[in-house]
């Protein structure tokens, strides 16, 4: 039941605090465990993580703000700033990458699978994202999934020494939960599954 409960309790928490109830060692173990045990197509293990804590976490969101300032109209920036502060106020951020050198090697080996491998790469990264998100929820750590890759990608090599072969897919800021989010609406579940026997 523990897994199903965590699955149900995982929500998008966008207003974060910098207080969580576990040590950095335990936190790092959660990420390592998820990386190790989440499946990947051909067992390629191409997903990679960059875990940003403390000043590195703040640096990421400050860089993103700088970049957003260049593209968001001045009159809307207050709203954007508030939203980004919700993430920046958190405990840390994990960046999800695909190591494209691994994926490209596989494509070279199995050229007929090229399109599938590109799709599966997104899928197994998504599986990792979901597993990490649920694992954090299991420890009462709030998180959300963000997609600002295009806006910040050109700053990562200099700011965080990210290798060129690592392609940024998603960002997950996490931390303490300020306010629980409201209930979700659900489509009738029986309209989404057919059971045959
Ligand atoms: C593949 C995927 C992409 C998402 N991208 C974003 C995003 O870029 N920004 C964001 O704030 N939420 C994003 N979300 C969160 C969804 O909007 C959210 O999961 C959904 O509304 C259900 O709410 P819940 O997470 O509280 O259960 C994404 C979720 C998924 C699964």
């Amino acid at each position: 039941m523990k897994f199903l409960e965590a699955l149900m309790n995982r929500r998008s928490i966008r207003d974060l605090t910098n207080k969580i109830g576990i040590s950095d060692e335990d936190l790092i173990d959660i990420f390592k465990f998820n990386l190790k045990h989440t499946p990947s197509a051909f067992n390629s293990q191409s997903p990679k993580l960059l875990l940003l804590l403390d000043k590195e976490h703040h640096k990421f969101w400050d860089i993103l703000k700088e970049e957003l300032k260049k593209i968001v109209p001045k009159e809307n920036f207050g709203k954007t700033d508030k939203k980004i502060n919700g993430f920046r106020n958190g405990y840390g951020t994990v960046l999800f990458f695909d190591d494209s050198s691994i994926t490209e090697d596989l494509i070279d080996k199995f050229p007929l699978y090229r399109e599938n491998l590109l799709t599966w790469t997104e899928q197994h990264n998504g599986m990792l994202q979901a597993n990490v998100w649920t694992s954090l929820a299991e420890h009462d750590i709030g998180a959300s999934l963000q997609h600002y890759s295009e806006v910040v990608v050109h700053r990562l090599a200099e700011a965080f020494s990210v290798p060129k072969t690592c392609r940024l897919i998603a960002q997950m800021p996490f931390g303490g939960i300020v306010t629980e989010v409201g209930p979700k609406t659900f489509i009738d579940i029986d309209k989404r599954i057919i059971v045959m026997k």
Side-chain angles (χ1 to χ4, degrees):
M1 254 339 257
K2 234 176 133 199
F3 172 73
L4 296 184
E5 261 170 45
L7 203 56
M8 186 176 70
N9 290 337
R10 180 225 49 83
R11 297 296 308 277
S12 290
I13 309 293
R14 300 180 178 93
D15 260 325
L16 300 165
T17 73
N18 65 356
K19 300 266 178 295
I20 59 170
I22 60 172
S23 67
D24 284 355
E25 287 68 30
D26 288 346
L27 185 67
I28 292 164
D29 279 347
I30 290 173
F31 290 110
K32 286 185 178 170
F33 193 90
N34 276 281
L35 257 180
K36 189 168 176 181
H37 294 292
T38 298
S40 56
F42 283 83
N43 197 27
S44 77
Q45 297 161 70
S46 66
K48 296 214 165 147
L49 298 179
L50 175 61
L51 177 59
L52 302 173
L53 300 175
D54 304 317
K55 65 178 189 333
E56 298 299 314
H57 156 72
H58 291 143
K59 185 162 113 186
F60 177 81
W61 295 104
D62 290 341
I63 289 173
L64 181 69
K65 274 192 198 184
E66 277 174 35
E67 294 302 316
L68 286 172
K69 220 171 207 164
K70 295 176 190 167
I71 52 175
V72 174
K74 217 173 166 188
E75 61 275 21
N76 296 342
F77 192 74
K79 209 171 143 204
T80 302
D81 194 49
K82 189 164 177 268
K83 182 175 165 187
I84 301 299
N85 283 341
F87 309 143
R88 192 186 184 281
N89 292 340
Y91 190 83
T93 300
V94 61
L95 306 187
F96 292 84
F97 293 89
D98 184 62
D99 185 339
S100 53
S101 66
I102 295 178
T103 306
E104 291 301 327
D105 275 354
L106 265 179
I107 291 173
D108 285 347
K109 266 192 213 139
F110 306 102
L112 279 178
Y113 278 113
R114 188 191 146 75
E115 291 311 313
N116 302 51
L117 281 163
L118 294 174
T119 304
W120 292 335
T121 294
E122 299 303 317
Q123 290 178 348
H124 60 224
N125 208 284
M127 288 181 177
L128 175 65
Q129 292 159 31
N131 286 343
V132 165
W133 202 350
T134 303
S135 300
L136 292 174
E138 205 181 357
H139 292 84
D140 294 320
I141 299 173
S144 72
L145 189 58
Q146 300 300 323
H147 295 96
Y148 291 104
S149 305
E150 292 79 4
V151 185
V152 283
V153 73
H154 63 289
R155 303 281 304 270
L156 296 185
E158 197 194 319
F160 303 105
S161 308
V162 170
K164 284 233 165 350
T165 53
C166 284
R167 180 172 61 84
L168 181 62
I169 296 185
Q171 305 82 50
M172 187 172 285
F174 59 88
I177 300 170
V178 181
T179 41
E180 297 289 343
V181 285
K184 273 200 293 196
T185 55
F186 293 100
I187 299 171
D188 178 359
I189 207 64
D190 289 320
K191 295 204 166 107
R192 296 177 62 197
I193 180 169
I194 294 171
V195 181
M196 294 178 171
K197 50 180 180 175

